[in-house]
Amino acid sequence: MERHLLRTLGDNMLDLIYAKDEQGRFVYANLALVNMTGAKSAEDILGKTDFDLNPLNAAQAYREDDQWVMRSGQPLMGREEQLTDFKTGELRWHSTSKVPLRDDEGKIIGIIGITRDITQIKQAEFNARDLNAELEKRVAQRTAELSAISATLEQERNLMRTLVDAVPDSIFIKDLNSKFLLANEAVARGMGTTPENLIGKDDFDFFPQAMAQNFFDDEQTIVRTSEGLVNREELAVNKETGNMRWFLTTKLPVRNDKDETVALVGIGRDITLRRRAERALRESEARFRSLIELSSDWYWEQDADLQFIDIEDPNNKSSYTRDEVLGKSLKDLAGTALLSESWIEYDDLVAERKPFRDLELRRVADNGKTYFISLTGLPAFDEEGHFRGYRGIGRDISDRKRSEQHIHFLATHDSLTSLPNRFMFSQILNLAIDSAHRYHRKLAVFFIDLDRFKNINDTLGHEAGDYLLCEMAARLKQCLRASDVVGRLGGDEFVVMLPEPENTEQIATVAQKILSASLEPIYINGQECRVTASIGICIYPDDGRDEQTLMKNADIAMYRAKEEGKNNYQFYSPDIEARSLERLVLENNLRMALERNEFFLHYQAKRNLQTGEIAGVEALVRWQHPELGVISPAQFIPLAEETGLIVLIGRWVLKTACAQNVAWQKQGLPPLCMAVNLSVRQFFDEHLIQDVADALSESGMQPALLEMEITEGMVMQDAERAIRILTAIKTLGVRLAIDDFGVGYSSLAQIKRFPIDTLKVDSSFIRDIPQNREDRAITEAIIAMGRTLSLTVIAEGVETKEQEAFLRDHNCDQSQGYYFSKPISPEDFVSFMKEQAASTVVYPPVASLK
């Protein structure tokens, strides 16, 4: 029975067990070794050496190991190697231990070897290492020294007992009542006792009741059925220590020569480490999946052919489905393209098995939505250094890319109109110049400035100005072809580029379309506003061959258009540039004129048409340049308006006129109304009221002797704001007059809202009376309106006796013009006053910047 028992035990062991004599010939081989080598039976192996069964290099290594064990008398433990399974051809990991084989006298007569398949443990180690989790070190195998055996039954018995104690698996034999007949060290160690102490006891002595009962029931089923239980995973808990361990258990019946079951043999492999490794692997995978789910990234893997074999994207952050990705390479993904690099560069990179970071892709999904994706990947290699593919993470960067695009748009476009800004237009123009040069073509550049924009912006506010600029930007685009480019340089300045114009006539046609579009009224806050445009045109290559020259010359031509009365276009010419330089010189001198005291005033008297007396005087500014001589107001006043210098000049005129009025009175002349004109900028200047108060205070002039003249258009642009300013001036005791009345077509209902004292009829209506019937009718209507509102009516530009007679006959209050008095110096005005001495002063004076 013992012989059958030991053979049954050896042949049902999963390990390879064998013995060799001193010459390396096999004297024993179990069934596992037979199956491993592909032999038909153990007899096919006995008497052979490793050189008969293995490759030369491997056989030589085994021979050296055997010689070392026999020579040193020491065991060789845990030698790991990969062996090929004969049946499957699979390369699997094994661990080999060898001990010396001794006879009864202790003489070494060979070796005994045990080789265990550790592929699962190695694979668990590999998997755990890939996820940065360390498995506990494999429990060192404890091998008991095998007793010497002989060729007899006693030798075989001692050999098998030595093998049983040397095997790290739990090996036991039980009788038909499940009591231990034999147990090796591994069994005893797991139960916390010795092999001898186990004999005659059962599982109820060592395990919890329910667990022991399950073991007993399984074993009794084997006794009844004579059918074994193979590779069942069981949990064993020591009831004394609470130590828990997992086993892969096989229990088989032991039969005698009559095929009767006489005992049970069991083999239990401790798989606790493997179970822990598997649990660690599952936990790591669960943590990984949780991190992927919580993260904005997703995980992907590719095989050695760079085809996707896995994608972990729980929330579909990649915008791809698994079916769209798996089995395809990156270049095969539908609607996907690289952003910055070419596919050639990508192919070169992966061909060298290099990692890549932030590979940016653009993907257009089936629904037409665009996604931007960033991929980062690392190459993966196996234990032998063979390339296995790539693995990495992906991230949706759509929001970032759209933000970058928006930032780029803001950097290259005007934030108000969304037109290309100066920087962007410069780049486009330079590219167009290069193209025109290469293909010998022309291009035109328009420099456009909006006339009267500053007046609207100052009177109606910046929101109104912004609305007007957006409207003009839209109109400009409507006037142009798709290939033309319009940009905004800032303020009210626009620029247009026309590539490949057919001829000058076509360029002029486009300019005329822009002028016509600009003239259309714009309604802002219920008010009708009109602006015009001044356009300067420069043509490549005739007027310049680079961006700076073209832009400068177009700007020069634009200023020429303004000088020609605005609302027109001018082509650049060298003559225009010369005039522009003159204008620049004039502007520079104008800025220094106040500091150099180059301004002076002339005064023009007004006549009372009923008495013929001097009714008042208007102050008119003049400029005496030391080198250029006297410069006409028609030249420098518009320039002062554009540059803003008009505010400083107007302040000087106001103070000088008030001081002159008081000086005349000190010379014995009667008090006169002094009229002073206000420009648009001066009227809406925040310091105006204080400037008027300071001029009166410093000069000592009575406020009633000062009359401020404003134009009809100034008060009509922003009536509510104008009323507030006019009321504040009236509070100072100063009189108010509307100059150039009639050209703005104000109604009686509008005029009566303003706290004014005087209407001045524009000279354009006086010029052709009494011959022109329409001018006579308008003048009569204005006089009638003034009398209805109890206002003083003054006619400007009276140059003939017939004009004055008509005005007197129709009850106009006063006249002003060359017929009665030209503008003269303060000294000449004293002489004129003495000649035309008046008895009374009826109305206060006015000062102007004409």
Side-chain angles (χ1 to χ4, degrees):
M1 170 182 167
E2 188 174 85
R3 180 184 182 87
H4 286 291
L5 188 149
L6 292 174
R7 286 188 180 279
T8 300
L9 177 63
D11 287 341
N12 283 279
M13 295 280 291
L14 299 178
D15 297 335
L16 311 180
I17 303 175
Y18 49 88
K20 302 177 190 175
D21 60 17
E22 289 181 287
Q23 284 71 42
R25 295 186 293 263
F26 284 93
V27 297
Y28 173 78
N30 72 342
L31 184 58
L33 179 60
V34 172
N35 293 333
M36 178 70 178
T37 60
K40 294 180 179 179
S41 65
E43 285 70 21
D44 292 338
I45 295 177
L46 299 181
K48 295 183 178 180
T49 68
D50 286 316
F51 290 94
D52 299 319
L53 302 176
N54 300 290
L56 179 61
N57 291 342
Q60 185 64 38
Y62 297 156
R63 175 66 176 168
E64 291 175 358
D65 290 345
D66 295 345
Q67 292 297 322
W68 184 86
V69 172
M70 288 187 292
R71 190 168 56 251
S72 66
Q74 300 295 320
L76 175 69
M77 308 299 292
R79 184 181 186 276
E80 293 184 358
E81 61 182 340
Q82 286 184 294
L83 300 176
T84 302
D85 188 287
F86 174 80
K87 289 184 177 181
T88 64
E90 182 183 2
L91 195 65
R92 301 182 65 83
W93 281 93
H94 290 77
S95 174
T96 299
S97 296
K98 295 180 180 180
V99 298
L101 177 64
R102 302 176 187 271
D103 59 15
D104 294 339
E105 298 177 355
K107 179 182 177 183
I108 296 175
I109 59 174
I111 63 99
I112 297 175
I114 301 173
T115 299
R116 166 169 292 176
D117 187 326
I118 60 170
T119 301
Q120 288 184 325
I121 293 176
K122 292 295 287 185
Q123 188 62 46
E125 290 177 355
F126 295 154
N127 291 341
R129 183 175 58 197
D130 287 344
L131 294 170
N132 298 322
E134 292 187 3
L135 294 174
E136 295 182 2
K137 292 183 178 180
R138 198 164 43 89
V139 177
Q141 298 177 349
R142 181 179 180 275
T143 305
E145 186 173 4
L146 299 176
S147 301
I149 60 173
S150 63
T152 63
L153 178 62
E154 184 65 24
Q155 288 176 323
E156 186 174 316
R157 177 177 179 276
N158 291 337
L159 170 64
M160 296 309 295
R161 289 301 300 268
T162 303
L163 289 173
V164 167
D165 282 338
V167 171
D169 291 340
S170 297
I171 300 175
F172 58 87
I173 301 173
K174 291 183 179 181
D175 63 17
L176 297 180
N177 294 318
S178 295
K179 293 188 179 294
F180 285 98
L181 297 175
L182 179 144
N184 69 349
E185 285 287 343
V187 175
R189 187 167 56 251
M191 293 184 173
T193 184
T194 63
E196 295 75 20
N197 193 40
L198 282 171
I199 306 303
K201 296 182 180 179
D202 57 26
D203 291 330
F204 291 94
D205 296 315
F206 300 96
F207 300 110
Q209 179 72 22
M211 185 177 290
Q213 187 65 48
N214 287 336
F215 295 158
F216 179 79
D217 292 343
D218 287 342
E219 292 164 0
Q220 292 306 304
T221 299
I222 294 172
V223 171
R224 289 195 310 273
T225 64
S226 295
E227 294 182 0
L229 184 152
V230 180
N231 290 341
R232 171 179 288 184
E233 292 189 4
E234 294 179 335
L235 175 65
V237 181
N238 190 302
K239 69 179 182 180
E240 296 294 334
T241 64
N243 186 34
M244 299 172 55
R245 303 194 70 78
W246 282 92
F247 289 89
L248 184 66
T249 303
T250 295
K251 296 179 181 180
L252 301 169
V254 178
R255 298 181 179 88
N256 59 16
D257 294 337
K258 299 178 181 181
D259 202 30
E260 298 173 336
T261 299
V262 295
L264 297 173
V265 62
I267 303 173
R269 173 161 293 178
D270 190 334
I271 60 172
T272 304
L273 288 177
R274 193 191 80 189
R275 288 290 295 250
R276 289 177 182 171
E278 291 173 349
R279 184 178 65 184
L281 183 61
R282 287 194 300 271
E283 290 176 352
S284 296
E285 290 174 345
R287 286 195 298 270
F288 177 73
R289 284 192 296 271
S290 298
L291 289 174
I292 289 295
E293 188 168 351
L294 294 173
S295 171
S296 60
D297 301 336
W298 67 88
Y299 176 79
W300 55 268
E301 286 187 14
Q302 291 176 326
D303 60 17
D305 296 324
L306 302 181
Q307 292 183 336
F308 287 97
I309 58 175
D310 190 21
I311 179 172
E312 293 290 338
D313 185 13
N315 299 321
N316 195 30
K317 297 182 286 291
S318 67
S319 78
Y320 293 102
T321 64
R322 288 181 67 85
D323 292 340
E324 289 179 304
V325 173
L326 297 185
K328 297 179 182 178
S329 68
L330 189 60
K331 290 189 284 187
D332 295 332
L333 297 181
T336 303
L338 283 174
L339 280 185
S340 56
E341 300 178 1
S342 68
W343 286 117
I344 295 177
E345 293 171 326
Y346 168 76
D347 290 340
D348 292 343
L349 186 146
V350 297
E352 297 178 10
R353 310 306 187 215
K354 290 184 178 180
F356 56 85
R357 182 176 298 276
D358 296 329
L359 187 72
E360 294 186 352
L361 309 170
R362 180 177 61 250
R363 154 164 163 81
V364 180
D366 292 339
N367 60 7
K369 186 175 181 181
T370 300
Y371 298 87
F372 294 93
I373 297 165
S374 172
L375 295 183
T376 295
L378 293 173
F381 302 91
D382 61 18
E383 289 296 318
E384 296 182 353
H386 297 135
F387 176 66
R388 291 172 53 190
Y390 274 88
R391 63 183 61 168
I393 58 173
R395 174 174 297 176
D396 187 330
I397 57 172
S398 300
D399 291 341
R400 193 195 81 195
K401 295 302 290 185
R402 292 188 182 101
S403 296
E404 290 175 355
Q405 291 173 350
H406 182 61
I407 291 172
H408 181 265
F409 182 85
L410 292 178
T412 57
H413 289 75
D414 174 49
S415 59
L416 178 63
T417 63
S418 296
L419 296 177
N421 59 15
R422 184 185 297 272
F423 171 76
M424 185 65 175
F425 187 85
S426 172
Q427 290 186 321
I428 296 173
L429 180 56
N430 276 300
L431 290 174
I433 291 172
D434 291 342
S435 177
H437 174 73
R438 185 178 302 111
Y439 299 107
H440 305 289
R441 295 169 179 168
K442 292 181 180 291
L443 66 85
V445 175
F446 288 18
F447 204 107
I448 305 171
D449 186 86
L450 302 182
D451 308 319
R452 297 186 67 251
F453 168 75
K454 291 182 175 61
N455 292 346
I456 295 175
N457 196 57
D458 291 341
T459 55
L460 298 184
H462 293 296
E463 289 186 3
D466 289 347
Y467 177 82
L468 186 148
L469 290 172
C470 291
E471 176 64 21
M472 292 306 301
R475 293 184 184 183
L476 288 173
K477 287 192 286 188
Q478 291 173 358
C479 294
L480 302 174
R481 303 168 299 178
S483 58
D484 301 333
V485 180
V486 56
R488 181 184 175 215
L489 301 184
D492 59 349
E493 293 181 340
F494 294 88
V495 63
V496 170
M497 182 191 70
L498 305 181
E500 303 180 28
E502 294 180 4
N503 47 49
T504 305
E505 288 73 19
Q506 183 195 24
I507 298 173
T509 299
V510 174
Q512 189 58 54
K513 286 175 63 178
I514 293 174
L515 292 177
S516 299
S518 303
L519 276 172
E520 292 294 322
I522 299 175
Y523 294 91
I524 304 176
N525 298 329
Q527 299 232 24
E528 178 183 304
C529 299
R530 293 178 185 268
V531 295
T532 58
S534 296
I535 305 175
I537 304 173
C538 185
I539 300 175
Y540 172 91
D542 304 340
D543 303 326
R545 293 180 175 271
D546 57 71
E547 174 209 354
Q548 292 80 8
T549 304
L550 290 172
M551 293 292 286
K552 181 195 74 172
N553 291 343
D555 188 28
I556 291 172
M558 183 274 293
Y559 276 107
R560 177 59 179 169
K562 283 187 174 294
E563 292 172 1
E564 291 295 320
K566 305 177 181 178
N567 190 30
N568 73 96
Y569 62 87
Q570 294 289 325
F571 284 89
Y572 170 80
S573 71
D575 292 341
I576 289 178
E577 183 172 11
R579 292 195 195 102
S580 177
L581 291 174
E582 291 177 5
R583 183 181 182 279
L584 180 61
V585 171
L586 192 65
E587 180 180 338
N588 291 335
N589 281 279
L590 183 62
R591 294 183 182 277
M592 296 182 288
L594 273 178
E595 299 176 8
R596 297 174 177 175
N597 296 318
E598 294 174 359
F599 291 112
F600 63 94
L601 295 182
H602 274 183
Y603 299 90
Q604 186 176 33
K606 305 173 189 176
R607 190 208 298 263
N608 185 320
L609 291 176
Q610 303 308 316
T611 65
E613 299 170 341
I614 295 177
V617 64
E618 181 177 359
L620 304 171
V621 67
R622 299 291 185 263
W623 179 14
Q624 175 72 53
H625 189 274
E627 297 175 358
L628 303 177
V630 177
I631 299 173
S632 169
Q635 286 183 272
F636 73 83
I637 291 297
L639 187 59
E641 288 275 6
E642 291 178 19
T643 59
L645 292 172
I646 195 68
V647 175
L648 296 176
I649 297 173
R651 188 176 298 149
W652 177 86
V653 170
L654 178 62
K655 291 184 177 182
T656 304
C658 290
Q660 183 62 64
N661 187 288
V662 173
W664 283 336
Q665 292 179 53
K666 290 180 179 180
Q667 294 177 32
L669 297 181
L672 289 175
C673 278
M674 178 66 75
V676 176
N677 257 338
L678 289 178
S679 69
V680 175
R681 288 202 175 201
Q682 192 178 8
F683 181 67
F684 290 107
D685 183 67
E686 59 181 341
H687 303 295
L688 173 63
I689 306 304
Q690 187 60 50
D691 289 342
V692 175
D694 290 345
L696 293 172
S697 174
E698 293 173 8
S699 65
M701 187 175 81
Q702 298 176 19
L705 295 178
L706 177 61
E707 187 169 73
M708 309 299 296
E709 289 189 4
I710 56 175
T711 64
E712 185 180 6
M714 288 163 57
V715 296
M716 295 309 300
Q717 286 183 7
D718 188 352
E720 300 304 324
R721 186 179 177 191
I723 289 173
R724 291 194 298 270
I725 297 172
L726 294 174
T727 301
I729 294 175
K730 287 293 291 183
T731 302
L732 297 175
V734 176
R735 292 173 60 87
L736 293 169
I738 292 187
D739 195 10
D740 300 332
F741 185 77
V743 295
Y745 304 101
S746 302
S747 66
L748 177 63
Q750 292 172 320
I751 290 299
K752 71 179 184 180
R753 298 176 60 200
F754 304 113
I756 59 175
D757 303 286
T758 302
L759 292 180
K760 297 187 71 174
V761 184
D762 188 72
S763 60
S764 62
F765 301 115
I766 306 301
R767 185 177 302 115
D768 294 329
I769 60 171
Q771 294 85 4
N772 188 290
R773 185 175 62 183
E774 292 181 357
D775 288 344
R776 290 201 309 269
I778 292 173
T779 303
E780 290 174 13
I782 294 174
I783 294 171
M785 178 190 294
R787 297 189 71 83
T788 301
L789 297 176
S790 301
L791 301 176
T792 300
V793 179
I794 303 175
E796 295 185 288
V798 179
E799 298 181 352
T800 67
K801 179 179 180 181
E802 290 77 17
Q803 292 169 348
E804 188 176 72
F806 174 84
L807 294 169
R808 184 182 298 108
D809 292 343
H810 289 83
N811 296 316
C812 183
D813 296 305
Q814 298 177 19
S815 67
Q816 180 181 351
Y818 277 26
Y819 179 68
F820 177 60
S821 170
K822 295 180 180 180
I824 54 179
S825 68
E827 296 77 17
D828 292 339
F829 191 80
V830 172
S831 301
F832 181 77
M833 277 285 291
K834 291 178 180 179
E835 295 173 0
Q836 304 287 336
S839 59
T840 58
V841 175
V842 182
Y843 302 106
V846 184
S848 167
L849 298 180
K850 292 183 180 177

